[in-house]
Amino acid sequence: MSEQQRAGASGDVNLVGLSKSFGSNTVVQPTDLTIPAGSFFAVLGASGCGKTTTLRMIAGLEEPTTGQVLIGGQDVTGLPPYKRPVNTVFQNYALFPHLSVAENVAFGLRRKGRKDVDGPVKEMLELVELGHLGGRKPAQLSGGQQQRVAVARALINHPQVLLLDEPLGALDLKLRRQMQLELKRIQTEVGITFVHVTHDQEEAMTMADTIAVMNGGVVEQLGSPADLYESPRTKFVANFLGQSNLLDTRITGTSGGYLLMDVHGTRMALPVDRTAAQGDQVVMGIRPEKIAIQHASAADSNGNRNRIDGGVIVDSSFIGVSTQYTVRMPWAQEITVFEQNMERDHRLVPGAPVVLHWNPDHGFGLAPEPATASAAVKA
Amino acid sequence: MTATLTPQTGGSHAGGSHRRATPPAAHQLSAPARALRWLRRNVVTLFGILALAYMTLPNLVVLLFSFNDPNGKFNYTWNGFTLDAWKDPFGVAGIKDSLITSLEIAFLSTLFATVLGTAVAFALGRYRFRGRGLTNTLLFVPMSMPEVVMGASLGTLFLNMRISFGFWTILIAHVMFCLSFVVVAVKARVLGMDPKLEEAAQDLYASPTQTFLRVTLPIAAPGIGAGALLAFSLSFDDFVITNFNSGDTVTFPMFVWGAAQRGTPPQINVIGSAMFFIAIAVVIVGQVRTNRRKQKAS
Ligand SMILES: Nc1ncnc2c1ncn2[C@@H]1O[C@H](COP(=O)(O)OP(=O)(O)OP(=O)(O)O)[C@@H](O)[C@H]1O
Ligand SMILES: [Mg+2]
């Protein structure tokens, strides 16, 4: 354990101005990033945004066009993959088909010259609950079992950093959830830095300490799951992690730490420190579950909450724990509202006139144009 | 997102064991109908057996006549059973030397063709370089060109270069025509190999050399093995090309050809049958070993 903790303490990963171009196509823009030792770090982004490429540069399988990779403070940019203290769980596992499960797991130790591999291999297979299948070939395992072999094969080497490239992508929903918990448990147990690439926002949120959201080769925002969810700084982040309603506004002034704004003729407020944009135009975002919905006839005066009158329900769907309403605003925009099913108002059916209101502190402010690459880095 | 798009496993296969409606009992059908139904059920088996017989019948004739006690020089008509030829398989002048020559040439040309062909296959399968397309096309020339033409041209070439015919000219010729087959067999395997496997090996501390020896080569091995076996059998029984380039050297096929003019001792059948049995034994041993490995694994 002490050996692992020491490894963990030096498991910082630093990317310094790291970028990658294939020909004239730059798929990873120059990126500066620090991944703290011992953390569960998720890289989240849509398909083709450069996640795998970034991971491969850390592993040494892809040569960066510019920049450096530092692991535990040491510059490894020039080192080939087999000399880096890093192991990878590949997107499609890449298990050696000609070797048994046990020999797959023992591969790294043997290359490092270890002779007594039986003990550690057995231990590692127990950890991933495959102790009885060591003699099989990878082709004789289910997808979930292969995935666990891939994790065991990498973990047994006690790397300073474990890179996981969508390791759960091929699994069905149930197994996926189960493996998420398992990976999280293993990470806590061994204390190694995990860099986990995924395009599943739910997976990133449940597993990671820190999430980096990538878009078009750029890390748009970095933060804890709650941070990213509560205070997204770009439209992409606001919509990639959960759903957001985005309202165009015009700033009219400030008062006591709040921006005052005009939203299609309605006065609203937004905390200055929750706004990631300057200028007199700000897009206000509000999460669907933060909005209260009331039938127009039942609406009381809502104090100093942000409030929109004149909405009409155009659609409602019952999802069990909550009901999702689509409400058309007087200016024809449609807003999504999630309402918990505590006391359901049976008048809230399509066609009903409604009032929406929410706590101004729950809104967040974004720049009006989709953030360009350089703007996001500077922000 | 994809999670919700992934089709859920299970469920759809539940209760999958449908029972066919039971066919009408046999005794209710007329005799021709019954025969027809039997034929319909067994037609694949029947054709399989016929094809197998067609392929093995010549071998069985060779085997049978290895026990013949021929009357005169030619072993073409059955004259009586004897074990003489089996007891003394090399009891004909020249037969042993020709067999040894053939085995030597087959071993050496297999070795050279396999090593060279594997290297070529990796180059063609892995790297892009100038002339790659041309090489790929030219590889098929030795396979498609009539052997007589190739043998004659090679003979002309050796003659013009003033290289005297013999063991080495035969070897060069055999390596040449075996090469294409090895390349084709190995290349298929190389192209089918996931390049991620080599990256995984490097990620797990294997140097390029170790990666090649521990991952690349073992995975390509079945292709290399198939290519080598093919090369061996092609070389061992080649007659046409050898005949143009052999000089005084006599390989086993050439001995048989010569014997056919002078007379055919049953010893030829003995050695032919022995080759047949060795080949079958190799296949069976291989099969049994794979099966045993599979059983151990599960
Ligand atoms: N070897 C290569 N040559 C040229 N372009 C490449 C190469 N590898 C990747 N790319 C391109 O780089 C971009 C980013 O690829 P990358 O594999 O990093 O995406 P990703 O974020 O991992 O996507 P996914 O979620 O689909 O795995 C893609 O547009 C891809 O086409
Ligand atoms: Mg990828």
Side-chain angles (χ1 to χ4, degrees), chain A residues 81-102:
Chain A
Y82 54 93
K83 288 187 177 155
R84 297 194 185 197
V86 169
N87 289 115
T88 308
V89 177
F90 286 84
Q91 202 157 2
N92 292 315
Y93 316 141
L95 299 178
F96 303 125
H98 60 296
L99 298 178
S100 69
V101 166

Side-chain angles (χ1 to χ4, degrees), chain A residues 183-374:
Chain A
L183 275 181
K184 185 72 191 163
R185 171 182 68 82
I186 292 172
Q187 197 263 340
T188 321
E189 215 160 288
V190 299
I192 291 174
T193 314
F194 273 40
V195 182
H196 183 109
V197 160
T198 178
H199 58 249
D200 178 348
Q201 50 110 359
E202 209 176 316
E203 185 171 302
M205 300 238 269
T206 50
M207 297 174 84
D209 307 319
T210 311
I211 301 176
V213 182
M214 273 187 94
N215 183 26
V218 174
V219 175
E220 291 221 341
Q221 195 176 348
L222 190 71
S224 70
D227 221 24
L228 290 181
Y229 188 80
E230 299 297 350
S231 318
R233 298 176 68 90
T234 68
K235 283 186 181 176
F236 179 81
V237 176
N239 279 316
F240 201 76
L241 274 92
Q243 270 177 278
S244 297
N245 296 298
L246 299 176
L247 304 170
D248 290 329
T249 72
R250 197 169 48 76
I251 308 289
T252 56
T254 53
S255 153
Y258 286 88
L259 288 173
L260 302 178
M261 48 188 49
D262 174 281
V263 182
H264 301 275
T266 311
R267 257 175 64 93
M268 293 195 187
L270 182 69
V272 172
D273 59 9
R274 288 180 56 74
T275 303
Q278 272 102 40
D280 67 340
Q281 290 207 324
V282 167
V283 171
M284 176 162 61
I286 181 74
R287 296 285 186 188
E289 74 279 11
K290 301 272 164 62
I291 303 176
I293 184 169
Q294 281 182 312
H295 194 267
S297 67
D300 24 63
S301 81
N302 298 104
N304 47 14
R305 287 166 75 87
N306 287 337
R307 167 177 169 142
I308 304 173
D309 285 274
V312 177
I313 297 179
V314 292
D315 187 34
S316 86
S317 44
F318 180 73
I319 323 176
V321 292
S322 66
T323 304
Q324 177 181 337
Y325 298 99
T326 306
V327 180
R328 177 168 305 125
M329 296 290 96
W331 59 91
Q333 185 182 359
E334 290 189 343
I335 283 189
T336 305
V337 179
F338 296 154
E339 193 73 0
Q340 282 227 322
N341 289 326
M342 289 191 293
E343 291 126 18
R344 298 183 65 203
D345 186 340
H346 293 285
R347 291 172 297 173
L348 295 181
V349 291
V354 290
V355 171
L356 305 180
H357 54 88
W358 63 90
N359 184 342
D361 290 341
H362 289 162
F364 49 87
L366 308 172
E369 285 306 312
T372 58
S374 53

Side-chain angles (χ1 to χ4, degrees), chain A residues 95-144:
Chain A
L95 299 178
F96 303 125
H98 60 296
L99 298 178
S100 69
V101 166
E103 277 307 314
N104 262 280
V105 176
F107 193 91
L109 291 183
R110 288 203 195 279
R111 299 293 83 72
K112 286 201 280 190
R114 284 273 300 267
K115 292 282 183 290
D116 53 329
V117 295
D118 290 355
V121 167
K122 197 156 167 289
E123 221 169 88
M124 189 49 66
L125 284 176
E126 297 291 341
L127 180 73
V128 296
E129 290 164 7
L130 288 175
H132 53 300
L133 297 181
R136 288 213 193 161
K137 287 283 170 63
Q140 298 166 313
L141 299 182
S142 74

Side-chain angles (χ1 to χ4, degrees), chain A residues 51-52 91 165-166 197:
Chain A
K51 305 180 298 288
T52 297
Q91 202 157 2
D165 192 356
E166 302 200 33
V197 160

Side-chain angles (χ1 to χ4, degrees), chain B residues 130-154:
Chain B
R130 193 183 286 226
R132 180 166 163 270
L134 185 69
T135 315
N136 262 325
T137 316
L138 286 179
L139 269 174
F140 284 95
V141 171
M143 288 198 247
S144 53
M145 193 189 282
E147 283 191 57
V148 199
V149 178
M150 197 152 65
S153 328
L154 257 179

